[in-house]
Amino acid sequence: MTSETPARRSDGFDLLVDALRVNGTENIYGVVGIPITDVARVAQAKGLRYIGFRHEQSAGHAAAAAGFLTQRPGICLTVSAPGFLNGLVALANATTNCFPMIQISGSSDRATVDLQQGEYEELDQLAIARPLAKAAFRVERPEDIGIGVARAIRAAVSGRPGGVYLDIPGAVLGASLDAEQARRSLVEVVDPAPRQLVSQGALRRAVSLLEEARRPLIVIGKGAAYARAEDDVRRLVEQTGIPFLPMSMAKGVLPDGHPQSVAAARSLALGEADVVVLLGARLNWLLGHGRAPRWSPDARFIQVDVEPNELDSNRPIAAPLVGDLVSVTSQLVSAVRPGRIRIDGDWLQRLEAKKAENVQKMSDRITAPVRPMNFSGALGAVRDALSDHPGTILVNEGANSLDFARDILPISRPRHRLDSGTWGVMGVGMGYAIGAAVETGQSVLAVEGDSAFGFSGMELETICRYQLPVVTAILNNGGIYKGDEPSQRPPDPAPTTLAWSARYDRLIEAYGGVGYHVETPFAAAEAVSAALSAGRPAVVNCVIDPVAGTESGHIENLNPTRASAT
Ligand code: ADP
Ligand code: TZD
Ligand code: MG
């Protein structure tokens, strides 16, 4: 233990915390136990914040959120074997979403683990983490902790960001070494994510394509949000007059209320665009792989991405621009001559008309006097409450709860929306909310399906223990997608059914937070508003009609049962 270490000596615990500290780490998320408990104690003693969770997966998701929000890798600390495995979903999810994080795990004695002699928490962790992470390293000597942490940081944030695994055996943490030697082994990473400009040739190719376009479209992805490219993206959009479409976590890079947003005419914009500029967005399943029927077969693409392998992954890219978004977008802004961008006025008018039509339809759904309330009614109320708290960060997961909230809840600031992301994963809710609250100090509203919430619900205790300004609104329709499915084997409930009568509001009361149980949009608006104003931990259990919702939400086409039925 550090307090017993003579001044001239240091140890692995000290060194690990110092190695993180010299690189700007302020917060560590984790669950303690053998052999890493003292990492957390030493971190606190040296002024870092340690946030202790109830499950490593949520700690990992918090670290990933920290990475996305700060451009510094979030740190997740886990114990060996089971704790390590619990954290891996978050590490893999961070890698999939291109968020920088580092999972640092203690591990058991190498000699006995490698001979499979039945060590306490025996597992070959490095081998298991490697295929799930962007990079994976093990530190075998205390004097290598500094360089190991430096390697992990650079790997996490350089190029395409991702999750990095760093394995530190207990013996390395406990090892003692000379304090001066320890100090000299620390490494401060210089320029971990260097700027990357594109060549004039690549730029000219892109600009001439834009000048040929008649129905151009800019698609903004979460890579642009992460890159903090909002100023350059705004210049590009406003100077060219090109309509834009945000991917879900890119909402707020430009405000949803921006006149050039065609989010409310998405299908029309995708289907008819002839030249598309992708700014930090992949042509994966979320964009129909860039293919018909979602896109015109004749559309040509300009793609800005830091990862060269991303280009041509689904569809040929006519003008690749490989570099960081801030540099490349500002290069584009300087190179484009706005007078030479000629957009078909008729197309813009049709986009406007479609937007107006869809906005009206949504407004009708929100105000329809439906009882029990449905997703639209409840989320219309949440939207009203949020309008008085514009700095609130939104976390969102579920199926219908995700689809409806993405459309109904406007986001007006960059990096103010975190959601199920590229995998459509459930379980990010409380972890993302905690990470966002800790890193930014701002209020967080987590809008959760009742199923989605269950994956990380025990972290309500963490939220209360640290008194974080997190309000969780649960859209409780009594099930996964829906709560009204008849069972094939009574008295067991159907596979999609959950307890509709569950009083999630009472869960948080057990930890000292405030619970609200609401059955009308009016009550929902009052409760969310009061909870956000109080800035204290709260749960709003919104009772939604169990018949509301569709199976798999908006991605029913990916469900083999349903796809064959239609
Ligand atoms: P979305 O889901 O919002 O469409 P994706 O996660 O599919 O976004 O794509 C994000 C893309 O952004 C990835 O291909 C990633 O390589 C890229 N990216 C991440 N950071 C940067 C950056 N700083 N500069 C350029 N591209 C980036
Ligand atoms: N497990 C994990 C880790 N991720 C998943 N995406 C799923 C399971 C499958 N799944 C979905 O894709 S959405 C969902 C599950 C279980 C929950 C939907 O129910 P909900 O939302 O209550 O959260 P709605 O509003 O009822 O649709
Ligand atoms: Mg549900």
Side-chain angles (χ1 to χ4, degrees):
M1 221 321 314
T2 305
S3 57
E4 293 159 13
T5 309
R8 307 175 316 281
R9 305 293 295 170
S10 182
D11 60 22
F13 295 108
D14 257 332
L15 204 42
L16 175 57
V17 172
D18 287 344
L20 292 169
R21 206 165 53 145
V22 295
N23 284 291
T25 298
E26 292 173 359
N27 305 305
I28 296 178
Y29 304 90
V31 177
V32 296
I34 295 172
I36 48 96
T37 312
D38 270 1
V39 176
R41 290 200 186 104
V42 171
Q44 281 194 330
K46 289 177 183 265
L48 274 71
R49 200 156 186 214
Y50 172 77
I51 309 292
F53 283 70
R54 307 304 297 255
H55 192 288
E56 292 85 352
Q57 189 182 120
S58 293
H61 288 317
F68 171 69
L69 293 170
T70 67
Q71 292 186 318
R72 291 214 200 106
I75 307 296
C76 172
L77 186 65
T78 60
V79 303
S80 28
F84 154 79
L85 287 172
N86 280 344
L88 273 191
V89 168
L91 188 73
N93 185 58
T95 305
T96 301
N97 282 290
C98 315
F99 298 163
M101 72 169 274
I102 303 172
Q103 181 178 345
I104 301 178
S105 190
S107 57
S108 300
D109 179 61
R110 292 253 37 96
T112 34
V113 170
D114 289 347
L115 262 178
Q116 299 181 18
Q117 292 175 310
E119 186 53 276
Y120 166 72
E121 297 196 341
E122 176 176 293
L123 194 72
D124 186 0
Q125 297 173 192
L126 184 63
I128 291 166
R130 187 159 275 140
L132 299 172
K134 184 182 172 193
F137 307 103
R138 178 162 53 228
V139 174
E140 305 263 10
R141 303 179 298 193
E143 61 269 32
D144 288 340
I145 288 177
I147 200 76
V149 168
R151 259 175 102 42
I153 290 172
R154 189 174 288 280
V157 298
S158 64
R160 168 181 282 174
V164 175
Y165 176 63
L166 187 64
D167 191 285
I168 311 191
V172 176
L173 289 170
S176 153
L177 75 168
D178 175 72
E180 180 54 20
Q181 185 195 4
R183 197 188 56 75
R184 275 188 279 110
S185 73
L186 294 175
V187 179
E188 187 181 344
V189 182
V190 177
D191 196 11
R195 283 289 161 85
Q196 251 178 278
L197 296 156
V198 292
S199 70
Q200 287 306 311
L203 205 56
R204 269 197 301 275
R205 192 186 294 121
V207 169
S208 33
L209 202 53
L210 271 182
E211 291 177 355
E212 288 168 30
R214 292 300 167 267
R215 296 184 304 282
L217 176 70
I218 294 175
V219 176
I220 308 172
K222 61 180 169 305
Y226 169 75
R228 305 186 161 240
E230 48 269 19
D231 293 343
D232 298 289
V233 172
R234 181 186 282 275
R235 273 184 220 113
L236 184 68
V237 164
E238 293 183 351
Q239 288 179 22
T240 59
I242 298 175
F244 76 91
L245 197 64
M247 299 302 288
S248 68
M249 281 184 60
K251 278 159 65 78
V253 167
L254 294 184
D256 278 337
H258 192 288
Q260 285 168 256
S261 169
V262 288
R266 192 174 201 265
S267 306
L268 181 65
L270 294 187
E272 295 191 359
D274 64 354
V275 171
V276 183
V277 186
L278 297 167
L279 300 178
R282 287 171 282 188
L283 283 179
N284 56 16
W285 69 280
L286 287 157
L287 280 172
H289 301 282
R291 298 195 280 260
R294 198 91 73 86
W295 298 84
S296 155
D298 301 324
R300 289 179 295 168
F301 286 79
I302 299 167
Q303 182 162 22
V304 183
D305 205 291
V306 75
E307 171 57 59
N309 286 336
E310 186 55 39
L311 290 303
D312 303 322
S313 58
N314 283 271
R315 170 168 185 155
I317 300 301
L321 294 172
V322 177
D324 76 276
L325 259 149
V326 169
S327 302
V328 179
T329 312
S330 71
Q331 280 185 290
L332 263 179
V333 169
S334 312
V336 174
R337 284 199 251 132
R340 299 182 66 154
I341 304 291
R342 284 169 297 140
I343 309 176
D344 179 354
D346 176 55
W347 190 55
L348 291 179
Q349 273 177 12
R350 282 191 297 118
L351 286 170
E352 275 310 308
K354 191 75 195 167
K355 262 170 73 173
E357 180 190 326
N358 285 343
V359 166
Q360 186 57 49
K361 275 191 199 155
M362 183 196 286
S363 162
D364 293 346
R365 277 195 298 267
I366 287 172
T367 50
V370 182
R371 296 293 174 270
M373 67 181 161
N374 57 20
F375 289 99
S376 295
L379 286 163
V382 172
R383 182 188 64 180
D384 293 345
L386 267 178
S387 66
D388 294 333
H389 300 88
T392 308
I393 294 177
L394 185 74
V395 169
N396 187 200
E397 60 175 340
N400 296 282
S401 299
L402 179 80
D403 295 332
F404 281 94
R406 186 176 48 232
D407 290 346
I408 294 174
L409 303 179
I411 307 289
S412 52
R413 302 182 188 189
R415 296 168 295 283
H416 276 57
R417 181 183 162 91
L418 293 102
D419 65 28
S420 303
T422 302
W423 263 350
V425 69
M426 299 300 115
V428 291
M430 298 301 100
Y432 277 3
I434 292 168
V438 168
E439 297 294 330
T440 67
Q442 290 164 236
S443 289
V444 178
L445 176 67
V447 173
E448 302 272 310
D450 51 332
S451 164
F453 167 73
F455 287 73
S456 66
M458 190 64 189
E459 304 300 344
L460 286 180
E461 190 275 331
T462 309
I463 290 168
C464 290
R465 186 160 25 98
Y466 288 89
Q467 280 300 302
L468 299 172
V470 175
V471 177
T472 303
I474 299 168
L475 303 181
N476 179 3
N477 66 344
I480 296 176
Y481 314 132
K482 283 164 87 74
D484 66 337
E485 187 177 328
S487 169
Q488 306 290 323
R489 192 196 180 284
D492 286 353
T496 53
T497 299
L498 299 171
W500 188 42
S501 58
R503 292 294 300 266
Y504 297 110
D505 50 308
R506 290 187 183 158
L507 279 180
I508 197 162
E509 289 172 0
Y511 310 125
V514 181
Y516 300 85
H517 175 84
V518 300
E519 298 184 353
T520 63
F522 179 77
E526 298 260 287
V528 172
S529 197
L532 286 175
S533 299
R536 286 176 26 84
V539 164
V540 183
N541 181 43
C542 305
V543 182
I544 305 285
D545 193 339
V547 308
T550 56
E551 176 143 345
S552 307
H554 287 185
I555 52 173
E556 201 166 300
N557 60 310
L558 299 179
N559 186 341
T561 337
R562 300 285 146 163
S564 61
T566 50

